[in-house]
Amino acid sequence: MAERPSQRTDPLDGQAAVVTGASSGIGAEIARVLAEDGANVAIAARRTEKLESVAETIRSETDAAVEVVTTDVTDSDAVAALVEATVERFGRLDIAVCNAGLAVDEPVAELTDEEYGLMRGVNIDGMFYTAREAIPHLKETAGHLVFMGSMSGNHPRPANPVYAATKWWTRGFAISLQASLGEDDVAVSSINPTEVRTEFGSESGTPSKEAFEPGEVTEPIEVADAVAYAVRQESPNSITSLDLYRRDKISHF
């Protein structure tokens, strides 16, 4: 009888993961949960001090090795250096989590070139660069490539069509990559939450962790646990898309 994936002890023991956008919120929790499950982790973001704090927490709570790599995901050379540093430190790459993302909540008619470019650069280019650099290594380990999507990639987001478009791109890219990488034994997953209490939204307004009370919407640890569920799957299985919606959210449509 096959073993239940959720019942495995240290299911990621000996594996190596890289997580972008890991200085806070969802990314920090993903890195911590993967470390709890036995993986060594490379954590990446632009804010070095924040990354060091996350790394210290992970080291104090787990036996995992943690590599801090300050990275701007909109810079293709920086992303290449991130993946290279991860493989150099750990000797392999089993899990790549493309988590870095942001939104500028302005109407399209008022969105500046810089704001539009920022969303495109982080949410699309950053995802692409991370995937491109990780794929050759994931083919060697029958690994997992995980994208942080959104309900906005499945349904309209009237308040921010550009952000929604980046998440529709993410979902289409992830599903198409699974089609192209499945025969190489690489699993590709898109994790699609609704609101999560993080710093998200701080680029142009009130961050969601201040806009919502605890228990009102999803917490970062709950999204991280969904990621852990996806990467716990072993060949031949893959969680292609996992929607983590607030229970009343679809009723809004």
Side-chain angles (χ1 to χ4, degrees):
M1 180 180 295
E3 183 182 12
R4 285 177 59 191
S6 61
Q7 295 297 303
R8 297 183 188 124
T9 302
D10 296 329
L12 307 181
D13 185 41
Q15 296 191 29
V18 61
V19 183
T20 65
S23 59
S24 65
I26 294 171
E29 287 298 287
I30 291 171
R32 187 174 66 82
V33 168
L34 296 183
E36 286 179 351
D37 280 355
N40 296 314
V41 293
I43 56 175
R46 292 174 297 178
R47 299 178 295 179
T48 305
E49 289 187 7
K50 290 276 191 179
L51 286 174
E52 293 288 359
S53 177
V54 171
E56 183 59 34
T57 297
I58 294 173
R59 293 182 186 119
S60 69
E61 295 180 357
T62 74
D63 295 327
V66 185
E67 183 79 0
V68 170
V69 187
T70 306
T71 307
D72 178 352
V73 296
T74 68
D75 182 337
S76 62
D77 290 336
V79 176
L82 163 65
V83 173
E84 181 180 355
T86 303
V87 174
E88 182 176 341
R89 171 72 188 275
F90 301 128
R92 59 189 294 151
L93 180 62
D94 302 87
I95 301 163
V97 183
C98 306
N99 169 71
L102 54 79
V104 179
D105 283 319
E106 296 290 348
V108 169
E110 299 175 18
L111 201 65
T112 67
D113 290 353
E114 291 74 19
E115 291 166 337
Y116 167 70
L118 179 62
M119 280 192 281
R120 185 192 65 233
V122 175
N123 298 359
I124 293 179
D125 295 348
M127 297 276 187
F128 170 75
Y129 296 148
T130 306
R132 181 179 66 183
E133 299 303 324
I135 283 169
H137 302 286
L138 298 176
K139 286 182 178 180
E140 295 178 1
T141 59
H144 289 261
L145 179 60
V146 181
F147 293 91
M148 189 52 56
S150 169
M151 182 183 182
S152 298
N154 298 340
H155 301 278
R157 185 182 174 98
N160 197 329
V162 173
Y163 173 76
T166 67
K167 292 305 180 180
W168 281 76
W169 183 93
T170 297
R171 184 166 64 96
F173 187 48
I175 294 171
S176 297
L177 273 180
Q178 183 65 87
S180 65
L181 296 175
E183 292 185 353
D184 294 312
D185 208 15
V186 176
V188 184
S189 304
S190 177
I191 310 299
N192 312 306
T194 47
E195 299 93 338
V196 185
R197 285 189 357 104
T198 67
E199 294 178 1
F200 185 85
S202 60
E203 289 78 12
S204 58
T206 303
S208 58
K209 67 180 180 181
E210 296 179 12
F212 299 100
E213 296 295 329
E216 191 175 358
V217 296
T218 305
E219 295 291 338
I221 185 61
E222 294 164 334
V223 182
D225 198 48
V227 172
Y229 171 72
V231 301
R232 203 179 288 130
Q233 307 305 310
E234 295 181 348
S235 183
N237 301 312
S238 172
I239 304 298
T240 304
S241 182
L242 194 160
D243 298 338
L244 186 63
Y245 291 178
R246 203 176 79 207
R247 294 186 181 186
D248 67 340
K249 189 67 175 180
I250 295 178
S251 66
H252 295 181
F253 293 92

